[in-house]
Amino acid sequence: MLRRTFLTTGLAAAAQQRKALKITALETELVINPPRTPNYDALQALGIHSGTVHLRLRTDGGITGYASSNFGAIDGGPKTLQAILENEVKPLIVGQDPAFPKKIRADLFKGLQYQGVTGITQFAIAAADIAVWDIVGKHAGLPVWRMLGAARDRMPVYSMCGWYYDGDADLSKYKKQIETALGQGYRAIKVKTGRYDLADDERRLRVALDMAGRDRRVMLDANQVFSRNEALRRGKLYQQMGAWWYEEALPPHDMDGFAELARELDIRIATGENLYTKHQFNDLIQRRGADIVQPDNRRAGGVTEWMEIAAIADAAGLHLASHGGGDVNMNMLCAIPNAIYMETGGPQERMVNGEVLAPETPGMSTEPKRRA
Ligand SMILES: [Mg+2]
């Protein structure tokens, strides 16, 4: 190729790359799942009512951004989210340039302020933000974790495998799930705690620790159910037995209670899956209410909000682990220096030595896979 031709086509390609896009349409699709046998934690039954809202943002450049928001419980949740996206988010986002995710977030915060930007409204803002970043990444031809500034190309993962099950007094189902996770190559597992009394917690944790052995970690998740006093009492046993972290011992709003636990216990205190926006995380962090913050990509916010939460936590010397897994979380976690774990479960396509390799697909890897 002549140098001149190369330069001309190269510049043309660069100009094409820089061409501004405009969001031309917002579309949603609601999928309600048939009920399945539920898993239980200390607080809830998951799987009886579940569904997903899929979001598509179309652009005039032929690039489409995707996001989806899953509900493990609550019958009307997905329908409510769909209505917010269609009625409130659509008029604010159509016509916007997707190269400005922070402007779009600011416009959505302002436009939705009457309802407040926590609760299901934030599910909508987060989904929109993730779909916008999917467009930004696709337009640049890069996975979003590389665009944001990569900290790593793989993440340590753990399997959330030890739930409560119907008809499992002998813990045979519980043991089977742990055995399967360890067989899949996980180097860390998480089990639920706190549904019954302290003796039951001790029995379950003993089983998990013995099965995991000395080289693997066991995390505990109490799903908000204790009072401060009970959380402290049980936490002393958990740390003495050797659990690696103690998650959501208290309701999410009891930030002073979390601070008390973090002061009184040596075991790592983890929480955050039910906190909304960087402002709530900042409240928790300022009170020193956690050692590990755990944002969720529907409640905490999307990519834009997560990066700020991660930075606030980093400045306070705290670690971050995701609530939930998949490629959306991978795209954020791999750009967060203080991230330590992604939550997941089941067989992983790209797991090597207990770590999942980052996706190389441009964007957020949110495009639904075609049904066979
Ligand atoms: Mg949890």
Side-chain angles (χ1 to χ4, degrees):
M1 189 188 287
L2 290 171
R3 184 166 174 275
R4 188 183 185 83
T5 318
F6 173 77
L7 280 175
T8 316
T9 51
L11 289 172
Q16 182 68 25
Q17 188 93 340
R18 283 197 303 272
K19 179 182 173 291
L21 297 177
K22 193 188 277 187
I23 296 170
T24 52
L26 177 151
E27 299 163 358
T28 60
E29 191 181 333
L30 180 66
V31 178
I32 300 294
N33 302 323
R36 63 165 171 79
T37 310
N39 290 341
Y40 302 88
D41 58 35
L43 179 71
Q44 37 192 3
L46 297 168
I48 301 171
H49 302 295
S50 67
T52 301
V53 178
H54 296 284
L55 171 66
R56 285 185 295 271
L57 295 179
R58 299 201 185 275
T59 65
D60 58 358
I63 295 174
T64 300
Y66 295 86
S68 56
S69 197
N70 297 309
F71 290 72
I74 300 187
D75 240 351
K79 287 178 202 157
T80 310
L81 174 58
Q82 186 180 36
I84 294 170
L85 286 166
E86 291 283 351
N87 297 312
E88 309 299 334
V89 173
K90 187 191 283 186
L92 294 167
I93 206 168
V94 169
Q96 295 253 17
D97 179 347
F100 291 80
K102 291 181 185 175
K103 176 190 181 299
I104 293 172
R105 178 187 59 173
D107 289 348
L108 293 177
F109 268 50
K110 196 171 163 195
L112 295 168
Q113 58 78 28
Y114 191 88
Q115 300 90 318
V117 293
T118 58
I120 203 159
T121 316
Q122 183 55 231
F123 279 52
I125 295 171
D129 183 78
I130 289 165
V132 166
W133 275 99
D134 189 37
I135 297 168
V136 173
K138 285 171 172 169
H139 197 215
L142 288 170
V144 167
W145 62 275
R146 287 192 185 277
M147 290 200 69
L148 292 169
R152 59 175 64 78
D153 63 2
R154 62 200 64 205
M155 268 315 292
V157 291
Y158 70 86
S159 175
M160 175 52 250
C161 60
W163 299 79
Y164 295 86
Y165 309 95
D166 283 324
D168 195 31
D170 65 356
L171 300 188
S172 55
K173 292 178 186 171
Y174 177 82
K175 289 176 191 167
K176 178 82 190 141
Q177 294 297 322
I178 293 174
E179 188 185 320
T180 302
L182 297 175
Q184 285 160 343
Y186 285 98
R187 313 283 309 154
I189 59 170
K190 193 167 82 186
V191 299
K192 297 298 187 185
T193 197
R195 189 171 180 88
Y196 305 115
D197 62 13
L198 185 65
D200 183 76
D201 285 356
E202 185 175 6
R203 174 172 163 243
R204 287 168 182 274
L205 178 56
R206 184 77 268 145
V207 165
L209 288 165
D210 288 349
M211 290 181 75
R214 282 173 161 262
D215 296 339
R216 300 189 190 91
R217 291 170 176 170
V218 178
M219 291 79 150
L220 282 177
D221 186 0
N223 291 91
Q224 317 179 22
V225 293
F226 299 138
S227 63
R228 289 188 189 183
N229 177 272
E230 189 64 11
L232 194 54
R233 188 172 82 98
R234 299 210 190 194
K236 285 177 181 167
L237 175 76
Y238 304 154
Q239 74 181 16
Q240 184 198 334
M241 290 179 70
W244 205 77
W245 81 40
Y246 181 18
E247 176 175 330
E248 271 205 318
L250 300 166
H253 52 265
D254 187 7
M255 295 184 186
D256 286 338
F258 277 107
E260 191 180 324
L261 286 184
R263 251 193 332 270
E264 298 293 325
L265 298 174
D266 293 328
I267 189 172
R268 296 165 188 82
I269 300 299
T271 190
E273 71 181 71
N274 285 295
L275 295 183
Y276 293 81
T277 78
K278 62 177 174 282
H279 305 292
Q280 291 190 353
F281 277 90
N282 191 43
D283 279 353
L284 177 77
I285 291 165
Q286 292 298 323
R287 291 166 209 234
R288 307 295 307 177
D291 301 294
I292 299 161
V293 296
Q294 299 175 293
D296 170 288
N297 68 38
R298 302 157 302 169
R299 301 188 186 105
V303 180
T304 309
E305 200 77 8
W306 265 57
M307 291 303 123
E308 294 167 351
I309 291 166
I312 296 168
D314 200 20
L318 305 184
H319 287 145
L320 182 148
S322 66
H323 175 235
D327 284 341
V328 169
N329 287 291
M330 280 297 292
N331 267 299
M332 300 189 289
L333 290 166
C334 286
I336 294 175
N338 51 324
I340 55 166
Y341 270 113
M342 181 171 80
E343 176 172 27
T344 188
Q348 300 295 313
E349 275 176 29
R350 306 187 306 266
M351 186 153 77
V352 180
N353 297 329
E355 298 182 315
V356 167
L357 305 182
E360 290 294 349
T361 312
M364 290 294 289
S365 290
T366 38
E367 195 159 334
K369 300 203 171 42
R370 290 194 180 281
R371 295 183 194 108

